[in-house]
Every structure is written in structure tokens, then in C-alpha cells.
Amino acid sequence: MELTPEAAAARIEQLIREIQEHDYRYYVLAQPSIPDSEYDRLLAELRKLEERFPALRRLDSPTQRVGGAITKEFPVVLHRHPMLSLDNAYTIEELREFERRLLRLQPDAVLTYIAQLKIDGVAVSLHYEEGLFVQGVTRGDGVQGDDITNNLRTVRNLPLRLRGTVPAYVEVRGEVYMLRSDFEHLNKEREEIGDPPFMNPRNATAGSLKLQDSSEVAKRRLRFFAYFAEAQGLPDADDEVMQYLRSWGFEVVQTHGPSSLTEIEGFILQWEKQKDALPYDIDGVVIKVNSRSLRTKLGSTAKAPRWAIAYKYQPEQAVTELYSITYQVGRTGYITPVAELQPVRLAGTKVKRASLYNYDEIQRLNLHLPDVVIVEKSGEIIPKVVRTLPERRPPHAQPVKPPSHCPECGASLLQAPGEVGRYCPNYKHCPPQVIGRLEHFVSRKAMNIQSLGEKILRKLYQRGLIRTFSDLYKLTPEKLSGIEGFAEKMPQKIVQNVQSSKAVPYPRVLYALGIRHVGEAVAQKLAEAFTSIEALYNATEAEIAQVYTIGPIIAQSVYSYLHDEENWREIEELRRVGLQLSHKSLMRLDNLPLSGKRFLVSGTFPSVSRDTLISYIQENGGIYASGVSKNLDYLVVGEDAGPAKLEKARKLGVRMISLSDLEAMVGRPVQRL
Ligand code: IVH
């Protein structure tokens, strides 16, 4: 049916409202009302309509959250009111002093307060006109900040349009933050593609908000907590303003009160104990006078308002001696300094090492060797060095010089332009880099060659048996015999598992190469756009960059990797030994032993993981089904298979087979653990 622009506009309006309603229920009320799949369907319909009718694309459309806009330089804007910071208190006595000060300034005031969790994120100010999000600005120096509107649009729970009746103009302030789980996920992903990790969620948030490409920001899963609003006609009591913020669709920081200072002390102590159980980092509690008219009377100093104070939690700290700094070399040659410490007890564990992230951090701390340092553990698991105690530093101590040579191979280190930290450029011969690459190559999501763990790879490397990926495919049981510590069947098992990996499809091979910035998803995208590695090789950098979500940085990395002579020679070698370097081999899917048949696995198998079994089925042309139905051809039955599944399969006449039946169908065994 042909859709008129009017009908499309109406449907778009309806979809936007519906999605906004679901966002509100999910983020603000924490009561999701539809399954993810249904939500995705609404979003997909909206996206399709907007593609067909680009003129109807609206600024408040949730499709805007995927980003796309590039900002080369963020325009600087003046804040309407300065974004001040807060005075700090570290003890309850200091809080009481704060109250006495207020009473000196306003002797007749009846003081009630609200207390809010102090989110350890990045402060921003948001502007809404007629309910529409029009501008978002960083704190900057407090007087002026950067206009990061495009990046903020990607923050999932930041309302692009306010709900209900709203004033003509509202300024909302709050904190952009990252869940700890998202932070850990991000760092893992960065490690996978060879990028240095972020220190903590706040750092990751700040770094993300400054990215030029908003579609990259969208992937960082940032969130927003509101704690302040200014508009005409708002009530005098700030706790009521928080209710307004909620009704407009904001996630509001956990608020207590209005109440007396004594009661707030309870809130402070309670969260000090519970803060590690929160899914995000807080560094204290903010206590604010609840009456907004009283706030105006109290006013501000140049630095901070007089009507609020931050009670800061002290992370557990310990003093110890720094006796050495070691440097670890990662798969991509990136050097991470590690502080070697005199063991000390901290938050229930014994700490002997702390990450220093990169050389800049050593400089910032002005570390000497030896030195006396304060280490602390806050939300993070890994302890960090907070500062030195120069007064206790031994007189012979020397400042730490930047590492000039690779601790593993001796090559001179380089610093990449525009990046912190240093790296070892001896990509081809630096042992941890070579072994790190091999480890990545055999890992589960790449070639999935089990039985080749880090220790064994290191052994094979030390024996000179492997240097490149293709060397793995040239291993024979003879070459592997006589290596100490190997169980009897080990050599055969390794060779067999290596050979089985030749069936791994092209996108995963592309990922396995370990090209910087090419994670699983990027490899998949590249393989979709360029159906063979030659096609990718023949593409220009600009052509690669045009692939949706790829962009110039990844393109540059892919292009220079493939056009390195030695790399390309290795890729040809991989083809010669039989790896899948194009989708063409997938076209042959109909000739594979399990082609066209649907399989399902039930139960467990003593020596084969479920993931391995599923990819074994898929690599051999089979389709992995989602459940038992009459379309299912085979149910592979293991130990403790679900009785309901078995019964259903029996009723529907599905054939039930064992693992060895399956292996017989394929004609080669599956990889064992
Ligand atoms: S109120 C005029 N409330 O802490 C004072 N700030 O150390 C406005 N922060 O710059 C701040 N959570 O970025 C307030 N619930 C909260 C907060 C909060 C985090 C941050 C904010 C501020 C910094 C001051």
C-alpha cells in the first residue's frame, strides 16, 4: 500500500511517542513494558519510514541516538549561569560547621535539606525549548563550555523531548556517567582491538563525550542522571523539582529528604557502606538546602554555592614503598607501566602491584625510584597510586625516566602522534607481541583452536616452531613430539584442532588477524562490504571508510595492514594452507555435509563445549535451530537432556542422534576440550 506523506508523518509521530514511552518506563520507572525484540521492531519501522521520507526526520526521534554527526571542533558557549563546583566536607563535624555557617548568614531560616548521591561522572548542562532538547554543554571552566549536543543525543536515557506539560524553556543539569559493567565491557573490547584501556568509568565518560564521531559515542552506552533544573514557575522546594524532572522523563539521582541534617547523616553512613553495590561509581553525597528562595539569599562565592556541600567518601588508602616499575608489552606493542610495591593490606586484600596506565601518569605523579606512595582502592578492583609522599622519599631517589627501550626485545620505543603512552615498533619480532597475536588468533571468537593456551604457544614459540599464523598449520605430530610436559595424545590433538579450524568462515578469519581497531563486529561489517580479502585489498582507504560504522581511523588501520608487504605475504600463505578468505566458500554451503539440515543440541557433552558444537554444526553447513519444531531434522542428545524437549521431539518425529552420529555425518570429529 502506498503511504502518503501525511500518513507517514502521523505514523512517525505515533512511533516516536510509543518509543519514548517505553524509554521512560525502562529508564525512569525501571519497569520495562515490552520485550527487547518488540522495541527493536518499533525502532526498525521508524528508521525505515525516515529513510523513505527524509524530510520527516525529527530531532527528537530516537533513531538520532545512533549518532552519525561528526563535530571537528566543538563550539564554545557561555553558560547562562556559571557552573560552580562544591565545597567539600570529610567529617560529620564539618557538616555541622556548614550548618552553623548557614545560620550565621540567615539566623531566622528554618533549614531543611535534601541529600543526593554524588555521581562520579561528567557534569553537563542541557537546554530544552518547548520541551525539545536543543543544546548540551560541558562544564568547561565553569564560565564557558563545549557544545557537545550531537554527542549527548546518543545518551540513551537523555530525553530528546520532555514528557507532559513543560515550561517554554528549561535548563537541566546533571551528570553523564557509565555503568561499571559497560565500562568493563568497553575496556575488554579496547584490549581486543589493541587500544589502551581507560582508567575508570569517569575517564571513559569524559573521553567518550569528546569524540568527534557521534556514532562512536553511541556505542559507549553513556547515561545521564539529572540533579538540577531551572525554569520559570517551578516550586520553591527542590525535592518537588526532582519530581518534575522525573515526570519530564529524566532519571534523577537517588534523593533523600527533605529532612534535618541529623537524618541526612544516616543517609550518608548508609551509602558509605553500600556504595560498592551500586552499578555505577559515586564519590560522596551532596547536601543541599531544599528551599530555592533561601538558596538565592545565601548566594555563592566565586567558586561554590554557599547552600550546598559535598560530603566526600574517602576511598581506603594505604602507604607503601614503590621499589620498581616494570613495563608490560601488549599484543599491539602498547607499553603499560606497573608499580611494584612493598606488599600492603588494603580493603581486605594484599596489594603488591598497581597499574600506572601510561608514562604520562608517572609524570603526573612525579614518581621517583624508590618512592613512598599512597595507594587506594575505590570502586575499581585494581588498586591505583594516588600520590607520592615526597617528604618521606629517600634522598638518593631519582625521577622515573620514560622507558626508552622495549623491556622484552630492546627496540627503541615510539610515541604515536596524538596518543598517550608509548609502543614498541618491533611488531614482527618482539616476543610478547608475536605470542599475543597468536593467542588472539587461536582465541574462541577467532579461530577457536582449543588446546593451544598461552603456555603451550609460548613453548612452541621458544622452540622456534611458530612465528606466524601459517606456521600453526604446518605443525605435525612429529614436530611436536618430545616437548616436555605434553600428555601422550597432545601432539595429535593439537594438529587435529588446528586443521579443523580451516572451516572457520571468512569474517572470523578477518577478525583473527588482529588488525588494530578490527573487533568482531567491524570484521563482520568489512566482510559484508568486501566479500573477499582481495576485494578489501583493492579498495582505497576512502572506500573502506565509507562502510557504515567503519570511519577513517579503522580504514587507515586496515589499509596499512593489508598493504604491508610481509602481512600480505602471510595472508597468501594462509590461503595456501586452506583458510577461508572469501565468502565464495560460503556459496558452496549446499555441498557441505550438513547443508540444509536443521539441528538442535540438548544436554551436555563431557569434552565439548556448547559453543564449539554449535559452530561445528554451522561450519559444516547445518542450521542451528532455535527450538524443537516439526521443521527440526535432528536433535543431538547429550547427558541430562531436557525431558520436555525429548518428549516433544519424539511426538514430532524428530530424529535423535548422539554426538558420534553427528561426527559420522560430518566425517571428522569435533574439537575436544
Ligand atoms: S549539585 C551548584 N548534585 O559534583 C552545585 N552535583 O564536586 C551544583 N555532582 O560539578 C552541583 N552528583 O558535577 C550536584 N547530585 C549531585 C551531583 C553533583 C555529582 C558533581 C557535579 C559538580 C561536582 C562538584
Side-chain angles (χ1 to χ4, degrees), residues 84 86 116-119 123 175 227 253 286 288 305 307:
L84 302 176
L86 291 173
Q116 294 181 325
L117 297 186
K118 186 171 184 306
I119 310 299
E175 206 82 355
Y227 55 64
V253 290
V286 183
K288 310 175 185 180
W307 45 265

Side-chain angles (χ1 to χ4, degrees), residues 29-302:
L29 305 181
Q31 285 166 352
S33 45
I34 48 165
D36 288 359
S37 55
E38 185 61 14
Y39 182 90
D40 291 345
R41 201 189 55 72
L42 294 175
L43 209 57
E45 184 187 343
L46 178 59
R47 195 171 295 131
K48 246 202 207 125
L49 279 176
E50 288 176 340
E51 270 163 24
R52 260 181 75 193
F53 300 95
L56 298 178
R57 204 168 291 220
R58 290 178 14 182
L59 277 177
D60 62 342
S61 168
T63 58
Q64 299 297 305
R65 297 206 192 276
V66 297
I70 309 271
T71 320
K72 283 268 171 271
E73 212 166 304
F74 300 110
V76 173
V77 285
L78 271 182
H79 293 300
R80 291 179 204 210
H81 312 280
M83 283 181 84
L84 302 176
S85 72
L86 291 173
D87 287 331
N88 294 328
Y90 297 93
T91 60
I92 297 295
E93 183 44 39
E94 280 169 359
L95 278 188
R96 299 204 177 129
E97 175 51 37
F98 162 72
E99 180 161 72
R100 285 196 288 272
R101 201 159 54 229
L102 294 179
L103 285 172
R104 279 199 297 275
L105 291 164
Q106 293 290 322
D108 304 325
V110 182
L111 291 171
T112 56
Y113 308 88
I114 57 167
Q116 294 181 325
L117 297 186
K118 186 171 184 306
I119 310 299
D120 200 8
V122 175
V124 293
S125 145
L126 313 175
H127 301 277
Y128 288 84
E129 284 171 13
E130 305 297 344
L132 186 67
F133 172 56
V134 290
Q135 192 178 48
V137 188
T138 62
R139 178 172 183 274
D141 61 5
V143 176
Q144 52 182 35
D146 291 342
D147 180 333
I148 52 164
T149 311
N150 289 328
N151 286 350
L152 286 172
R153 272 188 215 292
T154 69
V155 174
R156 300 184 170 207
N157 66 341
L158 185 151
L160 299 177
R161 171 172 294 281
L162 304 181
R163 297 163 49 85
T165 34
V166 274
Y169 168 77
V170 195
E171 180 185 359
V172 173
R173 290 182 181 180
E175 206 82 355
V176 180
Y177 69 102
M178 197 182 278
L179 291 180
R180 260 187 236 143
S181 53
D182 287 333
F183 164 73
E184 270 152 32
H185 185 83
L186 172 66
N187 263 357
K188 233 171 104 195
E189 221 168 59
R190 286 174 72 82
E191 207 182 294
E192 222 168 68
I193 62 170
D195 281 349
F198 285 112
M199 261 188 240
N200 53 41
R202 177 172 36 78
N203 258 281
T205 304
S208 302
L209 287 177
K210 279 192 241 136
L211 290 171
Q212 292 183 353
D213 182 351
S214 60
S215 64
E216 280 303 307
V217 186
K219 294 184 202 151
R220 300 286 173 92
R221 296 170 170 270
L222 299 175
R223 293 190 174 221
F224 178 75
F225 260 136
Y227 55 64
F228 172 90
E230 189 65 77
Q232 215 123 70
L234 287 178
D236 185 61
D238 206 34
D239 63 303
E240 288 171 32
V241 174
M242 295 305 128
Q243 292 308 322
Y244 272 85
L245 278 167
R246 271 177 74 88
S247 73
W248 291 334
F250 289 98
E251 207 176 333
V252 175
V253 290
Q254 168 100 236
T255 304
H256 179 83
S259 52
S260 68
L261 200 58
T262 329
E263 209 190 306
I264 279 171
E265 288 169 14
F267 180 80
I268 293 174
L269 297 178
Q270 174 204 341
W271 281 106
E272 172 144 42
K273 278 195 231 104
Q274 288 175 7
K275 70 177 170 27
D276 291 342
L278 286 168
Y280 46 82
D281 285 353
I282 64 167
D283 61 346
V285 169
V286 183
I287 298 101
K288 310 175 185 180
V289 169
N290 195 39
S291 157
R292 293 154 56 92
S293 51
L294 184 52
R295 288 182 187 183
T296 314
K297 283 191 207 148
L298 289 162
S300 304
T301 66

